[in-house]
Amino acid sequence: MIEQRLIEFQKHGDDRGELVALEYMKDIPFKVERVYYIFDTKLGSVRGCHAHKALEQILICLKGSCTLSLEDFSGRKEYLLKSPFKGVFISGLIWREIYDFSDDCILLVLSSECFDENDYIRDYAEFKNRVNKFV
Ligand code: TYD
């Protein structure tokens, strides 16, 4: 089974508008060491296309929409991300691709570690080799 979870965040909005707060252990199962966001994505672009050896992440679509594909040893699953009230937790050996970005999409990524190219598996054949050892 794919080791990831759709997390629904608590809403703190009121008549002034919406607010979401994310706290370690309450809403997020890891300490956030890095934050990045993807926006102004050009039509037809595909991002990601890699797996991580140890990194844990939560992806949150703050604005607009995009599609996230996750693949592990058990298969592939697609998520339509379109709500700032929901995040997808990614942990374990998972190949991720993100596409179908709307013009206005802002995708926030919370990560458990700082950027480390050594933690990336960018070659799909290598990912398949590693992941097949789980089967
Ligand atoms: P890339 O890995 O292609 O992004 P994505 O997986 O989201 O498609 O990263 C693009 C460039 O940005 C690449 O030169 C590495 C750099 N980068 C950082 O410096 N820090 C980061 O946290 C990330 C995600 C990328």
Side-chain angles (χ1 to χ4, degrees):
M1 187 154 63
I2 286 181
E3 279 181 57
Q4 92 299 314
R5 282 186 292 135
L6 200 57
I7 303 174
E8 183 119 20
F9 304 129
Q10 200 182 336
K11 298 178 179 178
H12 297 280
D14 54 30
D15 53 6
R16 296 168 295 175
E18 301 294 356
L19 191 154
V20 172
L22 303 177
E23 279 189 27
Y24 172 55
M25 290 316 276
K26 204 167 148 197
D27 314 279
I28 295 182
F30 55 82
K31 286 221 162 154
V32 176
E33 289 212 355
R34 173 169 53 115
V35 173
Y36 63 92
Y37 38 97
I38 291 167
F39 59 101
D40 258 355
T41 306
K42 304 297 173 255
L43 189 70
S45 296
V46 181
R47 301 214 62 128
C49 304
H50 62 254
H52 282 284
K53 295 171 192 165
L55 191 72
E56 298 192 316
Q57 295 186 305
I58 292 182
L59 276 64
I60 307 165
C61 186
L62 295 182
K63 192 167 188 221
S65 64
C66 61
T67 301
L68 169 68
S69 160
L70 299 180
E71 180 182 351
D72 73 358
F73 63 90
S74 68
R76 200 173 76 90
K77 187 169 173 173
E78 269 190 350
Y79 295 83
L80 175 62
L81 306 184
K82 57 174 188 180
S83 168
F85 297 114
K86 288 179 187 168
V88 178
F89 172 52
I90 308 178
S91 171
L93 197 58
I94 294 186
W95 186 266
R96 78 279 318 264
E97 296 187 6
I98 314 157
Y99 41 85
D100 288 348
F101 289 87
S102 64
D103 279 351
D104 59 347
C105 181
I106 302 176
L107 180 66
L108 179 72
V109 184
L110 311 178
S111 301
S112 63
E113 306 288 340
C114 290
F115 182 76
D116 176 9
E117 190 58 45
N118 292 322
D119 189 64
Y120 278 76
I121 301 167
R122 293 193 185 272
D123 179 38
Y124 186 70
E126 185 191 342
F127 162 74
K128 287 300 266 184
N129 260 335
R130 284 178 181 245
V131 97
N132 283 335
K133 291 179 184 146
F134 286 99
V135 180

